[in-house]
Amino acid sequence: MVEQTLKVESQEIQEEEKEQIVSIENEIECPRCHDSMTLCSDFDRLFYSCDSCDFCLYTIKR
């Protein structure tokens, strides 16, 4: 019984993580110049970069 509950909970957590990944936008509005910022990546992190004003907005790793 406990194993079934744990399996169901782990499946729910995996589904929530998939939802979070899907919710990342490719482009957002720049808070500085209101132009569009593009999603970019370094080796181990994601960030948004604005080509107009060179502003970078980094995401937080969990």
Side-chain angles (χ1 to χ4, degrees), residues 11-23:
Q11 288 175 350
E12 290 175 357
I13 291 171
Q14 288 175 354
E15 289 176 7
E16 288 176 8
E17 288 175 352
K18 286 179 183 178
E19 267 184 35
Q20 289 176 355
I21 292 171
V22 172
S23 68

Side-chain angles (χ1 to χ4, degrees), residues 14-62:
Q14 288 175 354
E15 289 176 7
E16 288 176 8
E17 288 175 352
K18 286 179 183 178
E19 267 184 35
Q20 289 176 355
I21 292 171
V22 172
S23 68
I24 295 177
E25 299 287 329
N26 288 334
E27 290 185 351
I28 61 172
E29 184 179 351
C30 177
R32 185 180 287 170
C33 71
H34 302 290
D35 200 7
S36 62
M37 297 180 80
T38 307
L39 183 64
C40 303
S41 66
D42 282 341
F43 177 72
D44 62 344
R45 60 185 168 183
L46 294 173
F47 63 95
Y48 289 97
S49 176
C50 181
D51 291 331
S52 297
C53 66
D54 293 326
F55 180 69
C56 288
L57 184 63
Y58 288 90
T59 58
I60 299 172
K61 286 189 348 181
R62 290 187 181 193

